[in-house]
Amino acid sequence: MALKVSSRVWLFDLDNTLHNATPHIFPHINRSMVSYICEHLSVDEFEATRLRQEYWQRYGATLLGLMRHHGTDPHHFLRHTHQFPDLKHMLVLERGLKAMLRRLPGRKFVFSNAPLRYSEAILELAGIETCFDAVYSVERIRFQPKPAVGGFRYLLRSERLHAHRCIMVEDSLANLQTAKRLGMKTVWVSGSTRQPSWVDQRLVSVLDLPRHLQRL
């Protein structure tokens, strides 16, 4: 049975969900991470790239692998890998995002593996910072990034939420799988034609959410 619209709680991923990070932001972050790993682990670019990808695939975030295996200071890493020469002009948004968010009934949170300063900057530049009750960044969830269940549980406890009231909106299937195991509804933002069993709704664009409320 569908939830009453007023009781819904929306958990939005940030990158490649609320904005398109692929053209400019992700390449910049990836280069910054490789440079950081080269410098602080004293490895060449090939090995740094391998480690970045391996830890991202294994843990959901490069940072977590660096913390676990190399004792990397997470605050230092995030500060040095999320500096942007001109974030405003790197940001790719869909028109109508703010209007769509305002039309959605229920509380809304950003739940991202990105750092807080970067997340808040994106929301401010997009003009949607007032649409959300809070931002749960990787620091706020105590460096337990998605898809690890710990970050999800921390958010639920902090906001006194029941998982079955929540709808997770994400571009990552691994993150949605954790959300589904906890009892959340799941929305996959993807151009893919497939729809795994743990995805309740697949949308090409997050702007399509209001048209599918009755299915959630």
Side-chain angles (χ1 to χ4, degrees), residues 54-93:
E54 177 185 335
Y55 292 155
W56 177 73
Q57 291 171 354
R58 185 173 177 184
Y59 299 112
T62 297
L63 171 59
L64 194 55
L66 292 173
M67 291 171 63
R68 289 185 177 182
H69 299 286
H70 307 278
T72 297
D73 178 346
H75 298 284
H76 187 267
F77 174 83
L78 293 172
R79 185 167 60 251
H80 285 271
T81 58
H82 286 74
Q83 297 180 7
F84 300 89
D86 191 357
L87 185 59
K88 180 179 180 180
H89 290 99
M90 300 170 77
L91 187 59
V92 178
L93 296 166

Side-chain angles (χ1 to χ4, degrees), residues 94 100 202-213:
E94 291 186 273
M100 181 279 293
R202 181 185 60 80
L203 303 177
V204 173
S205 168
V206 71
L207 297 184
D208 296 331
L209 269 176
R211 295 194 294 109
H212 297 274
L213 282 179

